[in-house]
Amino acid sequence: MLGIEARIVALREKKSDSNIRRLEYGIEVEGTLLFRHNDLSQPIGRLPLIAIPSVDTVGTAPTGPVPVDWDTVSLLLLSGSAVDIDDIDFAAWARQRAYRESSGHPDPWTPFFREQIADDLASGAQPEPELLANFVEWNRARANALPETLTVNTQTATLDWLLERKSPAEGARIFPEPSDNSAFAAVMPRLNLPPEQLFVPGQHDFSAGLAGLGAAEVVFALPAARDQFTVKIDPDAKTGGDYLDVHVDLRVRDIRIDTDENQSPLAALYVEPVKARVTARALGGAEIASATFDSRHPDTEVSDIVAAAPGSAPSGASVSRSAAAFPFNAEAMDLLQLRYLPDTVDDRMIELMMIARHDYEATMAKLGEVPVGAWFFRDPSKPLDGAERTKRLASFREWSQKRAGSLPERLTLTLELRNGVAPFEHPHGGPHAIECQSADARSDAQMATQGSLTEKDAMAAKLCAYLDAAWSAPEPVLFDEGVSEGRGLRYDCGGERYCPEHAVYASNVRQELGLPPPNDLVRLDRLPALDEATRKLEGELVLEIDVAPTGVIPLTARPHTIWRGANRRASPFDDEHGLGIVMEPDETPLSGRWLMVEAKAIAARVVNSETGATVAEPPLAAPGPLPEALLETSGSNVRNLDVLGIRLGMSFEDAERLIREHMEVGRVFKADRAGQIGLASGNLEPYSSGHLFVSRSENEAIAIFDEPPAAPGVVLGVWRRLRLPKGSVDPTALKATLTERYGAPNAIEEVYPTGTSDKGVVFLWRDVKHERQDCGQLSQHAESGRWWRDEAGAPAQPPSFLRHYPVLGSAYHFASAVDGEDKPLSDFCPPILGVWYATYPVLPGSEGMGQFTTGADPQVPQIKQWAEQVAKVAEQMEADRARSESMADEIMTWLNDQRGYARLFFESRRAASAQPAVPANAMPQVKF
């Protein structure tokens, strides 16, 4: 007895017309056991399980030459979806295959059925559902594994017979002339081909019927007349006196199915002979002659041969197995998406593709032409309603998948040329044009009045040149026009026969199916380079680019383009210099379906669309690099200068060492952030941390500044004030000394350092002139000294000549903008070295007390009396100071990078605002 060892995987109730409740188990068989009769207690053996045949257990590749017979032609029909899969009787096909396998008929395929099952099926049994489903998948796999070259036995004859029927080409014909009683006469009227190009093979090879067609006639359509295909045989060749077989290896380029209600179906195979071999049966199939051929059907399109009669609708379907030219259009975009992103193609899109294809084939039928990719609909004149679409959905998907998998490597993309300009070119100004024109006008005015450009004008000119280069560069990403929704090959395809009505394909039908507008981009690795001669050509011109798609990728953000990338690259430069020219790229996430085809350009042509003539063949070129050097800010020369060896970026320790080597230090004052109220409020003041060194002789002071917590102990600014006896400095000699030390100054300006009518002069070294006029001046006031404390922490008692302190940057300039954000760095002065010389007829810092006015009318008695009292006080003050101070020459030097300091100052200010300051000293506990 046999027993089944199984695992229950499901339990379900089985429907029944009676009141009896029936349950059905779902099991997975794990083994077969052998028991003694009436004793199930202990198995006496275990039998091996044999899997049901499937593509996983039976080979799908042929093991030898594949003959053109009923089975092979059925696979060709299945591969190309030339027949509706619903029309194929796979059970009958399985019985025919089983009969062949059980009869021992020579066959290049591994047997699918086990011997007993093959015998049962050959006797008419019905295959089990699972076995039949596996057989269907096995046939699909075999169809995909068909070799490019098939073989057919065209005739069997004696040597004399072959030699007696030589063709005019002086060789034995490999395709014999049809006999009078053959099917040739019945086939001829059904084909639009010269009779000398037709060959009817032995129909016994197709007696089992064809998949989806049943009993059918088969005919070969040759690329040339039959008598052009011959083989030369030596009349003295040894043949063994028996029959010779003529075998022809050939390629099947296309299959055309003709179904006439009054006649048997006709399958026309458009073949290209590759090689003929003559073999001798008596010699075990030894080859005694051969010939090779290179005759092909026209490369333009096999459909030129199989076209239906003008004005008539096609009566069948066909499938092309060639790599014929294919336009890169809406249909190609559909097929590429299906090929590379099959999971994104749902039934709604397949239905849309079917509707578009039906419209296209109906149009081609009216024109009497054959569509690209052959026919799917046997009669496209019939309406394609919803029920019919649902019925055909699976077969159309499968047909489309086959076509997607067999798309040729080269597709032809057609672009319109307008006045010699291609769509990937930008002949006019870009989004930056207006701002750049305004910047140019300002620069012209600046040069006319000042003779030089400000930093902002110079940087604007560089940025505009960079953006001009980016805008004028050919753009490899096509169809990214920047509209709100809908673009690319499947959006505006009104001029293509695949979707002849723009509204039908792109709008109404999509909306009815619930599909969003398509957004399809194409990125090429190279673009045609159009010269001036090509641009001047006249006529209705288009640009054809042969491309090889390499993939399709979904997009969630706008793709990188030359223009978009240039704006991203230029944005920091624009911000740094406060230009306001760059338009920030739109980084909004994309909505809907966005796809981009990656493709390699192969060749390009300029074609007259009216005549079809090629008028130019522009070369292909990859996009060149942009002038990135325009966005590079050259290193500052000023930052390489020093004051007494003190450089920006130097440590305080090294700076103090240089200061003490230069002069005998008498007093040191410190400005310490610790304890400043700004640490608690977050409202720090600039240049409020540093060290001030005063010489023992009290005639020289040097201050260095850092910026904690962002950059503690690092020199970020320095000023030096030197007091000399009056008349000891020769301005001309001073200029010569400075020029020898630092090079020629960039600017020399007259200033009024004391507020009196007496002038001073300032020598400036700067990389570029800033639009702020005060960047070349150094203001002074007493408030800037309030941070200095002596070593005991007491407010500094400065030397008499430092009643007013130099100011490297005011709190006003460093205050936050109106919106609370940091001011742009471009608002601050670039690196500068200044040397200020003045000689004082009055005491420095006196604010011109001798010229003091109140703004009141001195003729009024009360005011006159008050003014006299003020004047006496001022006179006494001047006399007191004169006793301890002499008139003097003064040189003030400063080195500062206000812009670099601002970056660090903002960092410190943000840190102070973000967290409470750590107290510098212990404080008493205060209860609140």
Side-chain angles (χ1 to χ4, degrees):
M1 295 180 62
L2 290 177
I4 301 297
E5 188 177 33
R7 183 165 58 91
I8 298 176
V9 296
L11 177 62
R12 51 187 172 269
E13 186 171 357
K14 188 176 182 181
K15 292 183 179 180
S16 174
D17 295 334
S18 65
N19 294 327
I20 300 175
R21 188 178 185 187
R22 300 180 184 276
L23 298 178
E24 186 177 79
Y25 291 92
I27 63 172
E28 288 185 359
V29 177
E30 297 181 344
T32 304
L33 305 177
L34 188 62
F35 296 89
R36 296 184 185 279
H37 185 64
N38 293 331
D39 183 7
L40 300 180
S41 60
Q42 183 68 33
I44 61 174
R46 180 183 293 271
L47 301 179
L49 289 177
I50 301 175
I52 297 176
S54 68
V55 292
D56 296 325
T57 61
V58 182
T60 58
T63 58
V66 178
V68 181
D69 58 11
W70 69 269
D71 185 58
T72 302
V73 175
S74 294
L75 292 176
L76 289 170
L77 295 172
L78 180 63
S79 172
S81 299
V83 294
D84 286 340
I85 195 169
D86 296 337
D87 294 339
I88 298 177
D89 186 348
F90 282 102
W93 193 347
R95 287 190 289 270
Q96 291 292 343
R97 280 294 313 172
Y99 176 78
R100 171 175 286 188
E101 292 177 7
S102 64
S103 65
H105 189 281
D107 192 62
W109 305 99
T110 303
F112 183 79
F113 302 106
R114 295 198 304 275
E115 184 176 349
Q116 183 60 51
I117 295 179
D119 291 341
D120 292 342
L121 292 176
S123 300
Q126 186 71 13
E128 293 292 334
E130 185 174 356
L131 179 63
L132 184 61
N134 289 355
F135 178 74
V136 173
E137 292 306 313
W138 183 67
N139 278 337
R140 292 176 190 265
R142 286 199 302 146
N144 289 331
L146 280 173
E148 182 181 7
T149 302
L150 308 175
T151 186
V152 64
N153 188 331
T154 59
Q155 57 181 316
T156 299
T158 63
L159 177 61
D160 293 338
W161 176 275
L162 292 175
L163 294 178
E164 287 175 2
R165 287 160 177 77
K166 283 187 177 180
S167 74
E170 293 301 321
R173 291 184 174 93
I174 66 172
F175 296 109
E177 293 292 319
S179 61
D180 294 337
N181 61 352
S182 69
F184 187 78
V187 168
M188 264 296 302
R190 302 172 66 180
L191 294 172
N192 188 26
L193 274 178
E196 61 271 14
Q197 285 184 239
L198 298 178
F199 169 69
V200 179
Q203 296 302 298
H204 62 275
D205 289 331
F206 308 99
S207 59
L210 303 181
L213 298 176
E217 301 285 345
V218 177
V219 64
F220 289 180
L222 304 174
R226 289 186 301 272
D227 59 15
Q228 298 299 309
F229 301 97
T230 63
V231 57
K232 291 185 178 181
I233 307 175
D234 184 355
D236 299 326
K238 294 181 180 181
T239 64
D242 201 351
Y243 284 96
L244 304 178
D245 291 312
V246 179
H247 306 277
V248 179
D249 297 335
L250 46 78
R251 291 185 296 263
V252 179
R253 278 283 303 272
D254 191 74
I255 303 178
R256 173 70 188 279
I257 306 301
D258 183 90
T259 54
D260 191 313
E261 294 181 357
N262 300 319
Q263 302 182 67
S264 298
L266 172 66
L269 277 62
Y270 289 79
V271 301
E272 294 173 345
V274 176
K275 183 179 181 179
R277 294 173 290 108
V278 181
T279 61
R281 290 187 176 184
L283 301 179
E287 184 178 297
I288 66 169
S290 66
T292 58
F293 311 101
D294 191 23
S295 181
R296 297 174 179 267
H297 285 291
D299 288 336
T300 52
E301 189 65 48
V302 175
S303 58
D304 294 340
I305 301 173
V306 302
S312 65
S315 58
S318 66
V319 55
S320 174
R321 289 175 58 82
S322 69
F326 203 110
F328 193 177
N329 56 10
E331 183 180 35
M333 190 66 217
D334 282 340
L335 296 177
L336 287 171
Q337 182 178 350
L338 190 57
R339 180 178 187 173
Y340 290 106
L341 299 172
D343 293 342
T344 66
V345 182
D346 58 16
D347 286 347
R348 295 176 303 165
M349 183 172 171
I350 291 294
E351 191 171 354
L352 177 65
M353 292 168 59
M354 190 192 312
I355 293 170
R357 183 70 191 186
H358 181 267
D359 291 345
Y360 169 51
E361 291 190 12
T363 300
M364 298 302 284
K366 292 177 183 178
L367 296 173
E369 301 178 15
V370 172
V372 174
W375 301 99
F376 174 77
F377 297 95
R378 295 183 180 181
D379 187 0
S381 63
K382 293 182 179 179
L384 186 68
D385 56 21
E388 187 68 17
R389 294 199 300 267
T390 301
K391 176 183 176 182
R392 292 178 174 269
L393 195 65
S395 59
F396 185 80
R397 176 185 284 275
E398 183 178 5
W399 184 75
S400 299
Q401 287 172 335
K402 299 293 185 184
R403 295 186 63 216
S406 61
L407 274 175
E409 292 185 3
R410 177 180 296 204
L411 305 179
T412 299
L413 178 65
T414 301
L415 303 174
E416 185 179 2
L417 278 180
R418 295 184 179 180
N419 300 320
V421 178
F424 49 78
E425 298 176 314
H426 304 116
H428 306 296
H432 65 294
I434 295 178
E435 292 294 337
C436 285
Q437 290 170 2
S438 299
D440 288 343
R442 289 194 302 270
S443 297
D444 292 342
Q446 179 71 18
M447 288 296 296
T449 57
Q450 303 295 326
S452 63
L453 295 179
T454 65
E455 178 191 34
K456 192 169 187 176
D457 292 334
M459 296 301 105
K462 293 176 63 177
L463 178 58
C464 289
Y466 177 79
L467 294 177
D468 286 343
W471 182 253
S472 61
E475 179 51 64
V477 177
L478 308 181
F479 310 118
D480 187 20
E481 294 90 357
V483 296
S484 58
E485 59 178 14
R487 72 203 68 217
L489 296 168
R490 291 184 288 190
Y491 182 73
D492 188 3
C493 55
E496 297 178 2
R497 287 180 175 175
Y498 176 62
C499 43
E501 295 297 332
H502 168 77
V504 170
Y505 183 69
S507 179
N508 296 347
V509 178
R510 278 186 171 271
Q511 292 176 6
E512 293 171 3
L513 294 174
L515 291 170
N519 294 279
D520 304 319
L521 310 181
V522 178
R523 177 158 56 198
L524 302 179
D525 63 333
R526 296 183 297 168
L527 292 169
L530 305 178
D531 57 21
E532 288 304 314
T534 302
R535 297 184 190 279
K536 293 178 181 179
L537 292 172
E538 297 181 354
E540 296 295 326
L541 304 179
V542 294
L543 181 62
E544 293 184 353
I545 309 175
D546 293 337
V547 303
T550 58
V552 180
I553 59 175
L555 299 176
T556 57
R558 294 185 180 274
H560 174 82
T561 62
I562 290 179
W563 177 245
R564 200 167 284 127
N567 276 268
R568 291 192 185 103
R569 174 75 175 84
S571 184
F573 184 92
D574 183 274
D575 291 342
E576 179 182 354
H577 299 287
L579 303 177
I581 295 175
V582 171
M583 298 181 64
E584 289 290 338
D586 184 4
E587 303 293 354
T588 305
L590 299 176
S591 60
R593 176 83 68 187
W594 285 68
L595 302 177
M596 183 161 68
V597 178
E598 301 280 4
K600 294 182 178 181
I602 301 172
R605 299 169 299 281
V606 177
V607 177
N608 187 307
S609 59
E610 296 177 327
T611 65
T614 298
V615 297
E617 295 183 354
L620 297 172
L626 295 181
E628 301 291 343
L630 290 173
L631 299 184
E632 295 176 1
T633 303
S634 57
S636 171
N637 294 321
V638 173
R639 287 188 64 90
N640 295 325
L641 303 179
D642 65 84
V643 177
L644 300 175
I646 303 171
R647 298 176 180 272
L648 298 179
M650 177 179 285
S651 69
F652 266 32
E653 292 78 2
D654 291 340
E656 182 172 353
R657 176 179 54 79
L658 291 172
I659 292 171
R660 293 184 181 277
E661 289 176 357
H662 164 71
M663 69 180 186
E664 185 179 358
V665 176
R667 291 188 287 169
V668 178
F669 301 94
K670 293 183 179 180
D672 193 347
R673 279 274 167 81
Q676 293 182 13
I677 294 177
L679 281 178
S681 65
N683 187 25
L684 301 183
E685 292 201 29
Y687 298 101
S688 59
S689 176
H691 293 177
L692 172 62
F693 301 87
V694 179
S695 66
R696 187 171 297 278
S697 58
E698 295 280 324
N699 72 327
E700 185 173 5
I702 301 172
I704 57 177
F705 298 89
D706 62 352
E707 181 46 56
V714 178
V715 176
L716 301 177
V718 57
W719 58 253
R720 174 197 184 200
R721 196 162 188 169
L722 177 64
R723 183 89 165 171
L724 297 170
K726 184 175 177 63
S728 61
V729 177
D730 180 354
T732 304
L734 175 63
K735 178 181 178 182
T737 299
L738 292 173
T739 301
E740 181 179 359
R741 175 73 166 83
Y742 298 116
N746 301 104
I748 302 175
E749 300 175 0
E750 293 182 346
V751 293
Y752 298 85
T754 64
T756 69
S757 59
D758 296 277
K759 294 181 179 179
V761 63
V762 63
F763 303 91
L764 299 174
W765 288 263
R766 56 194 178 195
D767 298 310
V768 64
K769 183 179 180 181
H770 197 270
E771 56 269 18
R772 268 178 53 189
Q773 297 299 319
D774 62 342
C775 281
Q777 303 175 13
L778 194 66
S779 61
Q780 306 173 62
H781 57 72
E783 278 293 302
S784 64
R786 69 184 186 277
W787 306 115
W788 299 116
R789 299 288 187 272
D790 59 19
E791 293 181 356
Q797 291 295 326
S800 58
F801 70 94
L802 267 183
R803 286 191 299 276
H804 286 74
Y805 292 83
V807 180
L808 295 181
S810 69
Y812 169 78
H813 284 125
F814 282 81
S816 299
V818 176
D819 59 2
E821 298 293 325
D822 296 333
K823 290 179 179 176
L825 296 179
S826 58
D827 282 5
F828 297 91
C829 301
I832 191 168
L833 171 69
V835 177
W836 195 352
Y837 161 70
T839 181
Y840 297 97
V842 296
L843 292 177
S846 65
E847 299 290 351
M849 290 294 289
Q851 302 179 21
F852 178 82
T853 61
T854 65
D857 186 354
Q859 300 304 318
V860 178
Q862 295 87 347
I863 296 178
K864 181 178 181 181
Q865 182 181 4
W866 179 80
E868 290 174 351
Q869 293 175 350
V870 171
K872 288 181 179 180
V873 172
E875 184 177 353
Q876 183 62 43
M877 291 173 62
E878 295 292 340
D880 293 341
R881 291 167 183 162
R883 282 193 293 270
S884 60
E885 302 172 6
S886 61
M887 300 299 103
D889 292 345
E890 193 169 88
I891 298 174
M892 185 163 58
T893 307
W894 74 97
L895 176 61
N896 187 32
D897 177 7
Q898 196 180 84
R899 188 171 296 169
Y901 175 83
R903 183 182 293 107
L904 296 169
F905 175 77
F906 294 154
E907 183 178 336
S908 294
R909 185 165 63 188
R910 285 191 294 271
S913 301
Q915 57 186 4
V918 178
N921 301 305
M923 60 174 283
Q925 293 293 325
V926 180
K927 185 176 181 179
F928 294 95

